[in-house]
């Protein structure tokens, strides 16, 4: 296996795609077998489709929109018009892409996209080693449930929900012959080499916690019998009251999200994070993840330093799971909310990732929801998280 990345800040979509594909073709022995393609929402999806169809040949490709830019081993690339690609050349492997509109049937969309990806890879009846996902924000848990119904909980699903620059709903997802603002692009990987994954956040739990006593979908109505926003504001030392009226809750809560312990790995609790997005009627808190009555929510805290360096620790954990196999490259998903909270330090994040990945090619996207799995666990959806997929360089 060989991996290469490319990027462009050209404003014309066809020029940006041409530049990125030309770079990949120069770096790899021949046409990649799979290409991850991420762009900012300012690019034209129809032009992107046309240029990929004209130049990508037999390569399978998928991806979506990324908040304000991308990262590669060459740094953090930001601006209104950014494209990033990661190409995998793996003649001994197999790669397929499946897509579906989510609409009001997200679980069915997960099943359909997965079955199409497996057939596209020409591996009917064979479970993939890895699933790489880019879907519209809003129904991630149901999409994952549909995928698990097909392949079970042991196949890791990694990726993130598409994003735009200002949380305006301008995101989209794309793959060969498909683009949508409410869709799912799912890639099934059957690589010839080992794959390692890791999933974590840059936050620590506090001792402030309570039980959800009323909830509806992604809205927490009450915690310990009190309005959820009032409880959260007490835990966060009046953060909501200090927030200027013209600034979003999303921005102010990026360093103080809510967490749920979902696993325990060798005595270390693993928390799945939920980002408060808005305050609803009667003091409810709207989240970007589902929540259920009986869940215990914990106030989590992070700072700029932890969000810079946690990405490197996640990448190193993924590398270690390769069992000393040489590294070819990596795909990284970094929460768009975290990125916006520390945007002035994103060059440092790219530096940390480059060091942790030994200078090998990597592509990082910035998402509005992250999917991954903890050690010995099934795939999950969270917020303000980081995931990494590392690919071995030699046949497994």
């Amino acid at each position: 296996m060989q991996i290469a990345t490319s990027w462009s800040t050209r404003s014309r979509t066809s020029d940006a795609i041409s530049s990125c594909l030309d770079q990949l073709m120069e770096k790899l022995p021949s046409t990649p077998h799979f290409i991850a393609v991420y762009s900012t929402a300012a690019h034209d999806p129809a032009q992107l489709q046309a240029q990929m169809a004209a130049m990508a040949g037999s390569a399978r490709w998928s991806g979506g929109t990324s908040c304000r830019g991308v990262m590669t081993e060459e740094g953090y690339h930001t601006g209104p018009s950014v494209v990033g690609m990661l190409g995998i050349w793996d003649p001994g492997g197999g790669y397929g892409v499946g897509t579906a509109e989510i609409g009001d049937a997200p679980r069915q969309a997960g099943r359909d996209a997965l079955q199409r990806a497996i057939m596209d890879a020409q591996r009917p009846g064979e479970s993939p080693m890895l699933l790489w996902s880019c879907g519209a924000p809003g129904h991630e848990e149901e999409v994952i449930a549909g995928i698990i119904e097909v392949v079970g909980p042991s196949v890791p699903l990694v990726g993130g929900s598409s994003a735009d620059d200002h949380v305006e709903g301008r995101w989209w997802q794309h793959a060969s012959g498909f683009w949508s603002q409410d869709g799912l692009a799912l890639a099934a990987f059957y690589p010839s080499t080992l794959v390692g994954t890791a999933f974590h956040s840059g936050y620590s739990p506090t001792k402030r916690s309570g039980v959800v006593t009323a909830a509806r979908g992604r809205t927490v109505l009450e915690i310990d019998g009190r309005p959820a926003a009032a409880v959260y504001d007490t835990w966060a030392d009046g953060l909501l009251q200090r927030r200027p009226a013209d600034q979003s809750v999303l921005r102010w809560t990026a360093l103080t999200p809510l967490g749920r312990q979902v696993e325990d790995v060798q005595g270390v609790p693993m928390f799945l994070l939920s980002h408060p997005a808005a305050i609803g009627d009667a003091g409810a808190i709207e989240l970007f993840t589902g929540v259920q009555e009986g869940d215990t929510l914990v106030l989590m805290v992070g700072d700029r330093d932890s969000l810079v360096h946690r990405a490197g620790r996640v990448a190193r954990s993924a590398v270690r799971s390769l069992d000393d196999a040489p590294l070819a490259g990596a795909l990284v998903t970094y929460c768009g909310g975290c990125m916006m909270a520390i945007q002035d330090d994103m060059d440092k994040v790219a530096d940390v990732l480059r060091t942790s990945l030994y200078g090998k090619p990597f592509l990082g996207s910035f998402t509005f929801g992250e999917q991954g799995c903890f050690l010995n666990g099934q795939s999950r959806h969270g917020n303000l998280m980081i995931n990494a997929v590392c690919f071995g360089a030699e046949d497994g």
Side-chain angles (χ1 to χ4, degrees), residues 145-392:
I147 290 169
I148 289 174
E149 288 177 2
V150 177
V151 294
S154 61
V155 177
L157 180 143
V158 184
S161 309
S162 53
D164 59 14
D165 290 355
H166 302 287
V167 201
E168 297 172 324
R170 297 180 60 209
W171 49 70
W172 34 275
Q173 313 78 45
H174 55 227
S176 308
F178 171 92
W179 78 269
S180 172
Q181 290 188 299
D182 185 32
L184 173 65
L186 190 67
F189 288 10
Y190 299 85
S192 63
T193 66
L194 294 175
V195 174
T197 69
F199 186 49
H200 216 290
S201 77
Y203 296 77
S204 301
T206 69
K207 294 182 179 180
R208 301 175 182 183
S209 66
V211 176
V212 176
T213 48
R216 183 178 59 250
R218 292 188 164 191
T219 301
V220 184
L221 303 173
E222 295 180 357
I223 300 173
D224 292 336
R226 299 175 54 213
V231 175
Y232 174 86
D233 205 35
T234 299
W235 290 352
D237 299 322
L239 177 72
L240 297 180
Q241 296 182 49
R242 299 195 307 273
R243 173 181 62 93
D246 62 343
Q247 294 186 11
S248 71
V249 170
L250 190 70
R251 172 183 173 186
W252 274 68
T253 58
L255 297 179
T256 52
L258 295 168
R260 289 168 290 155
Q261 183 178 341
V262 293
E263 292 185 33
D264 186 293
V265 178
Q266 297 179 346
V268 178
M270 296 287 108
F271 288 88
L272 196 65
L273 271 54
S274 300
H275 193 173
I279 304 303
D281 296 336
I285 297 179
E286 298 175 11
L287 304 174
F288 281 118
T289 68
V291 66
Q292 297 180 351
E293 293 180 11
D295 285 347
T296 296
L297 297 179
V298 180
L299 182 72
M300 309 290 289
V301 293
D303 57 31
R304 299 180 75 90
D305 185 67
S306 66
L307 295 183
V308 167
H309 293 285
R310 176 61 69 179
R313 288 193 282 272
V314 173
R316 289 194 294 273
S317 179
V319 171
R320 284 195 297 272
S321 65
L322 292 177
D323 295 328
D324 297 322
L327 176 66
L331 284 163
V332 177
T333 302
Y334 190 98
C335 171
C338 293
M339 181 276 291
M340 288 188 280
I342 63 164
Q343 188 162 5
D344 291 344
D345 288 327
M346 287 308 300
D347 286 326
K348 296 179 183 177
V349 175
D351 288 343
V352 167
L353 282 167
R354 179 171 51 247
T355 300
S356 300
L357 295 169
Y358 305 107
K360 297 296 184 179
F362 76 88
L363 176 66
S365 57
F366 304 111
T367 54
F368 286 168
E370 295 71 53
Q371 293 87 54
C373 52
F374 300 118
L375 292 174
N376 303 320
Q378 72 179 46
S379 300
R380 302 179 185 274
H381 163 69
N383 305 145
L384 302 166
M385 307 287 287
I386 306 163
N387 66 48
V389 178
C390 288
F391 298 93

Side-chain angles (χ1 to χ4, degrees), residues 66-81:
S66 176
C67 179
R68 302 186 185 182
V70 300
M71 292 183 289
T72 71
E73 71 279 9
E74 295 181 357
Y76 169 56
H77 316 297
T78 187
S81 301

